[in-house]
């Protein structure tokens, strides 16, 4: 995400902000080794209704890993009604008597597990499911949730308000879900540590297009409506799954073995060159030099016909507002593209490591300028940034309410520049490529990054990272 400039709920028209967060005190007791509800040996137990994320303790669910989501939905832009089913393939990681999914704001009419009707109940932002037969650890199983309703935005413990599926009345819709908005429109294990492949088929009335993640694998005419099927063969974190519905012109460039580039742009700004695909192709080539191979088969942007004041790196289809056309910002596009390596392919294990996403994406803006702007001096630019932010707020564990604050972005980028000047260009860029290769399509932590930096450079960087990431006073640049 690009630095936040005010609450979306106040700038996007026709949206509804409803607090749908469940309080932790509404959670059922969790069986645990030191609790008093320990099941007898061998008896299936409920899956944990949390993954214990330090910032979002109500998010995520334990006892299983999701392999694939197959969403078959229809959307009515006039009423905002979204309905259909989510088919979730998962593997049990323990013997399960019941389990939960994150889901809020929509009405569930049926749940099946392996084709058998299952008991379910909505509680807060959780859907608790009890299959007719307990699941054995290691078993693969399939859950189908049938649901309908108008998606309601959720508030967040983070400094972002209004997350989820934005209803733009007759204009269409879009999704902005980082960190915890995905479960406002599909039932899921809503945490980046459980990534899965995803297919989304969305039926919309004629005259609307659907931009999605990955490859457009099918378009079908259903007589008055049209179905758009998108497929992500590479795993994707739930918050990055984001179909956009609207009236779009589609721009495409085929480039042989290179990523297939496509933009979805409102007709009224289609001649303004927003997200110029020739520039995007050059940016990908440049970033491949420093970050390693582009991790996905496609890339592009969707331009929402509303002022957003932010942008979001949804996997292979970054989301920008109409201001990207009226106030072009190439660095914003560089930032969102860089997230495809940092955040999307290599994802967070816990949200408290958010600087691992935003630090590199912000530094990528400077790398793009360094590569393309004659006379640009990256040391001067970083020194100016250092003086400007003067920030004595460390980025390493900023707290949920500051996770999209200045320090995470700018001191995060300064940390990387200081590292580059400490270990030298060769080791620094080798580290970035080791990182994107080792944790490609996976998850990693700050500890993993510090360890990889030490390994690549042969330098003990413990004190360096402690000072830059965790101590109040910002160190001087080397
Ligand atoms: Zn960002």
């Amino acid at each position: 995400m690009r630095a936040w400039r005010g609450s979306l709920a106040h700038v996007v028209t026709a949206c509804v902000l409803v607090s749908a967060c469940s309080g932790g005190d509404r959670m059922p007791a969790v069986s645990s080794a030191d609790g008093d509800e320990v099941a007898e040996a061998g008896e299936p137990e409920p899956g944990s209704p949390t993954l214990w994320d330090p910032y979002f303790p109500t998010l995520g669910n334990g006892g299983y890993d999701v392999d694939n989501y197959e969403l078959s939905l229809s959307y009515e832009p006039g009423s905002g009604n979204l309905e259909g089913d989510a088919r979730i393939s998962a593997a049990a990681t323990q013997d399960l008597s019941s389990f939960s999914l994150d889901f809020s704001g929509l009405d569930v009419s049926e749940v099946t597990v392996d084709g058998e009707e299952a008991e379910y109940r909505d509680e807060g932002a959780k859907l608790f499911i009890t299959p007719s037969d307990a699941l054995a650890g290691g078993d693969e199983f399939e859950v189908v949730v049938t649901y309908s309703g108008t998606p309601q935005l959720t508030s967040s413990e983070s400094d972002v308000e209004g997350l989820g599926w934005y209803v733009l009345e007759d204009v269409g819709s879009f999704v902005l879900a980082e960190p915890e908005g995905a479960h406002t429109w599909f039932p899921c294990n809503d945490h980046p540590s459980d990534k899965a492949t995803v297919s989304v088929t969305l039926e919309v009335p004629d005259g609307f297009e659907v931009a999605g993640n990955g490859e457009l694998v099918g378009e079908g005419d259903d007589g008055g409506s049209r179905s758009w099927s998108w497929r992500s063969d590479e795993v994707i974190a739930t918050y990055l799954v984001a179909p956009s519905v609207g009236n779009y012109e589609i721009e495409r460039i085929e480039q042989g073995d290179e990523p297939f580039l496509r933009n979805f742009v409102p007709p009224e700004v289609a001649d303004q060159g927003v997200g110029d695909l020739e520039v995007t192709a050059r940016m990908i080539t440049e970033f491949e030099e420093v970050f390693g191979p582009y991790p996905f088969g496609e890339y592009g942007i969707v331009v929402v016909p509303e002022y957003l004041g932010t942008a979001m790196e949804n996997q292979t289809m970054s989301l920008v507002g109409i201001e990207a056309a009226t106030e072009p910002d190439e660095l914003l596009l560089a930032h969102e593209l860089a997230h495809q390596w940092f955040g999307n392919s290599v994802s967070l294990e816990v949200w408290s490591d958010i600087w691992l996403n935003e630090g590199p994406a912000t530094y990528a803006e400077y790398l793009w300028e360094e590569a393309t702007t004659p006379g640009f001096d990256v040391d001067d630019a970083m020194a100016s940034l250092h003086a400007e932010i003067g920030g004595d707020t460390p980025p390493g564990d900023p707290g949920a309410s500051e996770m999209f604050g200045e320090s995470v972005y700018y001191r995060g980028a300064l940390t990387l520049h200081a590292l580059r000047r400490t270990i030298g260009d060769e080791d620094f860029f080798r580290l970035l490529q080791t990182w994107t290769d080792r944790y490609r399509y996976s998850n990693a932590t700050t500890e993993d990054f510090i360890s990889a930096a030490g390994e690549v450079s042969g330098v003990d960087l413990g004190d360096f990272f402690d000072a830059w990431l965790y101590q109040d006073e910002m160190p001087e640049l080397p």
Side-chain angles (χ1 to χ4, degrees):
M1 191 180 291
R2 187 66 165 322
W4 202 249
R5 287 182 273 151
S7 161
L8 255 189
H10 298 133
V11 294
V12 175
T13 56
C15 67
V16 185
L17 175 63
V18 172
S19 171
C21 277
S22 67
D25 57 351
R26 299 186 62 182
M27 292 293 192
V30 180
S31 301
S32 65
D34 55 358
D36 53 9
E37 289 188 38
V38 178
E40 287 172 28
E43 192 180 316
E45 292 183 60
S48 165
T50 172
L51 287 173
W52 308 107
D53 185 276
Y55 288 1
F56 302 100
T58 63
L59 280 188
N61 308 276
Y64 62 89
D65 271 322
V66 177
D67 298 321
N68 185 63
Y69 295 93
E70 189 179 327
L71 310 180
S72 304
L73 302 167
S74 65
Y75 181 64
E76 180 55 57
S79 66
N81 188 62
L82 180 70
E83 65 179 61
D85 58 59
R87 187 173 294 269
I88 303 166
S89 306
T93 55
Q94 64 172 72
D95 294 347
L96 280 174
S97 57
S98 65
F99 59 92
S100 51
L101 292 162
D102 299 296
F103 198 38
S104 70
L106 297 171
D107 298 322
V108 176
S109 56
E110 186 179 44
V111 177
T112 64
V113 176
D114 290 333
E116 301 282 329
E117 248 180 73
E119 284 180 27
Y120 64 90
R121 72 176 200 281
D122 272 318
E123 202 170 297
K126 295 283 178 186
L127 180 64
F128 291 95
I129 298 170
T130 305
S132 56
D133 295 314
L135 300 162
D139 275 4
E140 294 185 359
F141 62 100
E142 186 179 79
V143 188
V144 180
V145 179
T146 306
Y147 61 97
S148 63
T150 301
Q152 310 290 310
L153 298 178
T154 184
S155 62
S156 175
E157 296 295 311
S158 77
D159 40 351
V160 182
E161 267 183 62
L163 292 174
W165 179 291
Y166 274 77
V167 173
L168 298 177
E169 293 194 341
D170 295 332
V171 176
S173 64
F174 67 93
V175 172
L176 194 139
E178 187 183 18
E180 52 176 322
H183 65 270
T184 66
W185 70 277
F186 71 104
C188 55
N189 200 14
D190 200 0
H191 194 269
S193 61
D194 190 4
K195 302 204 285 187
T197 51
V198 178
S199 293
V200 178
T201 296
L202 197 54
E203 184 184 347
V204 293
D206 279 347
F208 289 90
E209 282 75 37
V210 178
N213 307 102
E215 185 184 357
L216 179 61
V217 291
E219 255 185 272
D221 192 338
D222 298 328
S225 65
R226 201 163 185 81
S227 287
W228 297 69
S229 295
W230 290 85
R231 171 76 189 158
S232 294
D233 282 325
E234 294 90 10
V235 291
I236 173 169
T238 48
Y239 75 94
L240 297 165
V241 183
S244 300
V245 177
N247 177 11
Y248 294 122
E249 289 191 9
I250 306 172
E251 303 162 352
R252 300 179 168 93
I253 298 188
E254 300 265 12
Q255 334 172 76
D257 292 341
E258 299 299 311
F260 173 48
L261 304 181
R262 68 282 185 272
N263 286 344
F264 283 63
V265 181
E268 61 269 27
V269 295
D271 61 353
Q272 294 185 28
V274 55
D276 185 326
L277 291 174
E278 302 283 352
V279 177
T280 305
R282 285 203 294 280
M283 235 180 230
I284 289 176
T285 303
E286 177 58 35
F287 283 169
E288 285 189 319
E289 292 280 315
V290 284
F291 302 151
Y294 178 74
F296 306 114
E298 304 82 13
Y299 188 66
I301 60 171
V302 55
V303 182
V304 173
E306 297 276 348
Y307 175 84
L308 289 188
T310 187
M312 181 64 213
E313 65 270 20
N314 297 325
Q315 193 154 305
T316 74
M317 185 69 85
S318 291
L319 176 90
V320 299
I322 197 78
E323 68 274 19
T326 54
E327 308 158 34
D329 183 351
E330 203 168 278
L331 299 182
L332 171 93
L333 300 177
H335 180 109
E336 305 309 337
L337 174 61
H339 272 307
Q340 306 302 317
W341 285 263
F342 299 96
N344 297 9
S345 173
V346 182
S347 297
L348 301 179
E349 184 69 32
V350 285
W351 281 111
S352 45
D353 289 338
I354 183 69
W355 86 276
L356 285 173
N357 288 6
E358 299 304 345
T362 304
Y363 194 51
E365 300 176 37
Y366 291 85
L367 293 175
W368 176 244
E369 282 199 284
E370 193 180 2
T372 57
T373 306
F376 179 81
D377 185 320
V378 70
D379 289 303
D380 285 352
M382 297 315 286
S384 300
L385 180 63
H386 188 279
E388 198 180 315
I389 70 166
D392 287 342
T393 308
D397 185 6
S401 64
E402 287 291 327
M403 64 184 282
F404 299 108
E406 188 176 74
S407 173
V408 167
Y409 289 75
Y410 297 122
R411 193 162 148 180
L414 286 162
T415 299
L416 293 172
H417 189 66
L419 178 64
R420 179 179 169 188
R421 288 296 173 248
T422 300
I423 64 177
D425 273 18
E426 194 181 327
D427 281 352
F428 177 74
F429 291 112
R430 201 151 56 85
L431 166 64
L432 296 188
Q433 297 194 17
T434 299
W435 179 252
T436 60
D437 179 57
R438 182 175 296 173
Y439 298 105
R440 186 177 167 97
Y441 311 139
S442 183
N443 298 82
T445 63
T446 298
E447 203 177 313
D448 294 327
F449 189 81
I450 294 171
S451 162
E455 178 191 315
V456 166
S457 66
V459 177
D460 181 352
L461 294 160
D463 290 348
F464 171 92
F465 281 109
D466 181 61
W468 276 95
L469 295 178
Y470 299 112
Q471 300 305 316
D472 287 347
E473 191 183 336
M474 182 162 61
E476 291 303 315
L477 283 167

